Structure formats: C-alpha cells, structure tokens
Amino acid sequence: MQSDDVIWSVINSQFCSYKVKTATQNFCRNEYNVTGFCNRQSCPLANSRYATVREKEGVLYLYVKTIERAHTPAKMWEKIRLSENYSKALEQIDKELIYWPNFIIHKCKQRVTKITQYLIKMRRMKLRQEPKLVGVKKKLDRREATRERKALSAAHLEKSIEKELIERLKSKAYGDAPLNVNESVWQAILDREKGEKQEKEQVEDEEELSMEDDETEEEEEEEEEEEMEGEFVSDLSDLEDVVDEVSEDESEDLSESEDSQPKALLGKRKAKSPAKAPPRKRVEKPKGPKVSVEYEQELESVPISRSELANW
C-alpha cells in the first residue's frame, strides 16, 4: 500500500530527479505537476488523490490519478477530454472533482484559463502574416563548404589525370591500340580529334574566303579608278578644242581691225568718232552634259596671258 508521508519524506530530505533547487524556491519538472512548485500539496508522486490539466495539439484534457493502478504507472492516469467552450470546461471539472480538495479544483481551473489564453494568442499569431524566422546552422554550413571544396579538388585532380592519359594515348606511348583501355574511351578520343581537325579546316576555309573577298574588292576599286581617269582625259580633250576655237576668233578680229584703219585716213577729215568695238561672234557651246573639271597644281598660281593660252 502506498504511503504518501513516507514518499514525501524521502523526496523532500534526500533526492528527487524532478526537483530543481534555486536560492529562493524549489521547482518541479514533472509533467503532471499542477502548479510547478515542489511542495507537499502539489507533488504528484506523494499524493494518492491528484488531478491536473494538460494540452495536446490544441485540445484540453483532465488527467485524474487512480491509486488502484499504482502498480502499472503507464495506465495510472485517466484522461478526460474537456470541451472547447471555456464555461463548459469549468463545469466538467466541477462534476469530475466533486468531492476533491478545493486546492486541486482551484489549481485545475487556473490551468484551464492559462492554457485557453495562450491557445487564443497562438490562433491570432497564425492569422498575422509575419516573417518566418529560420535558424542558421553554422556547423552544417561549414561542413557542406568543406565537402564542396574537397569535391572540387577531386574533380580537378580527375581532369588533370584524364588530360595526362589522353596526351599519352595521342603520343602513342601505349602503342596504336592499348589493351587496358575501353573501346568507348578510345573511340571518344578519336572522335574528339576528328572534330578538332574539322574545326581547323572550317577556320582555314573562312580565312580563304575572306582573302578572296578582299581581292575582289581591290580589283573593283582599281577598275573604278581607271574609269574615272578615262573620263578626266576626255574632259581635258574637250577643253583643248574650246581653247583653239577662242584663239582663232581673236586672230580674225585683229586682222579686220587692221584693214579698216587705212580706209579711214583716205576720206574727208571729220571729227573722230569713238571707235566702236566690232561685235564678237558667239562661241558655240558644245552640246552635251555639263562637265566639271578639277585641277591640282603643286606650283603657285601664275596669271596666264592670252598668247600663252593660245600656244598651250
């Protein structure tokens, strides 16, 4: 038979695994303690008649201790579900603990009020859209960083070994067909070499095409320059013909003026009338499109007389 006084004397004076001692007061860590303090009235181990209120996944339960099942601690606590309504939950506590001490009833009701308050607060916090705080695991991050570093170094090592082996196979250090190399690896190396050769040939073809295009462009430019020179030569020949016609007209005018002077002296003496200049013949302009000629002279420009222009 369980003796509450004996149990409390042992717990209070000697040792209890749930007891937490402080400078002011002792606390109890037992999950069935109704107050959280370590004293005679609120100790769940030293009281044969005991009840408490607990919450699981938002639901309130009243736990009542049945001392007849003390030999099976897993089945010692009877669980009664309380209503979600606060007033109905208090009525249920009064019905279940009708002949129990007032201290237990009062503390159970206090726990119901506290638990309902923090459940309401939890629901309100869920409705708010607040930023979710995520913990940073520095140890895990450091471990992953070291793993990545090691994997990178191993990959570099594998690549360097692969390059060395490929160079040896290319240089035929192991013969034309090494025995320990898989056919797929050997075929892959040969295909890679063929691809590199094709790329080089494509680059060379592109360079040749670009050279041919440059040559054709140069030839076209030379042909255009020759055509322009021919046009300039034809323009100069037309200009020489015009200059010859002008010089012939001027010589005819001078001969006519010399013939008219002796005839005037033989006639009667009259007041000298101002000599009128003989009408000049209009120079027929060459038919055809207008030609603009540009000259480039390296020497200084010197005025040219008519005689020099006629003899030019």
Side-chain angles (χ1 to χ4, degrees), residues 235-253 281-284 286 295 305-312:
D235 295 336
L236 288 171
S237 62
D238 294 337
L239 184 63
E240 286 176 358
D241 295 337
V242 172
V243 171
D244 292 336
E245 289 177 1
V246 171
S247 62
E248 287 175 1
D249 292 337
E250 285 179 356
S251 62
E252 287 176 1
D253 293 336
K281 292 181 180 180
R282 290 182 181 178
V283 180
E284 292 182 358
Y295 294 96
S305 62
R306 288 184 176 181
S307 61
E308 289 177 355
L309 186 64
N311 296 324
W312 182 61

Side-chain angles (χ1 to χ4, degrees), residues 293-310:
V293 183
E294 295 180 358
Y295 294 96
E296 293 183 359
Q297 294 179 356
E298 296 181 356
L299 300 173
E300 295 180 357
S301 60
V302 181
I304 303 169
S305 62
R306 288 184 176 181
S307 61
E308 289 177 355
L309 186 64

Side-chain angles (χ1 to χ4, degrees), residues 168-233:
R168 288 184 183 180
L169 289 170
K170 284 180 182 178
S171 63
K172 296 182 179 180
Y174 305 117
D176 294 331
L179 298 173
N180 296 329
V181 179
N182 293 328
E183 290 182 1
S184 60
V185 176
W186 185 249
Q187 192 64 33
I189 293 163
L190 293 173
D191 293 338
R192 197 181 300 171
E193 287 180 354
K194 286 180 182 178
E196 289 176 358
K197 287 179 182 178
Q198 289 177 359
E199 288 178 357
K200 287 181 180 178
E201 288 176 358
Q202 287 177 359
V203 171
E204 289 175 357
D205 293 338
E206 288 176 357
E207 289 178 355
E208 288 177 359
L209 289 171
S210 62
M211 291 290 288
E212 289 176 359
D213 293 337
D214 295 336
E215 289 176 358
T216 52
E217 287 177 359
E218 289 176 358
E219 288 176 359
E220 288 176 359
E221 288 177 357
E222 288 176 357
E223 289 176 359
E224 288 176 358
E225 288 177 357
E226 288 176 358
E227 288 176 0
M228 292 294 290
E229 286 176 359
E231 289 177 0
F232 286 135
V233 169

Side-chain angles (χ1 to χ4, degrees), residues 34-35 37 41-42 50-53 93 101-113:
V34 74
T35 59
F37 299 122
Q41 283 183 321
S42 58
Y50 201 82
T52 184
V53 177
I93 289 167
N102 291 327
F103 175 78
I104 298 291
I105 296 168
H106 178 62
K107 291 299 177 185
C108 286
K109 287 181 178 179
Q110 273 188 345
R111 278 183 72 82
V112 169
T113 53

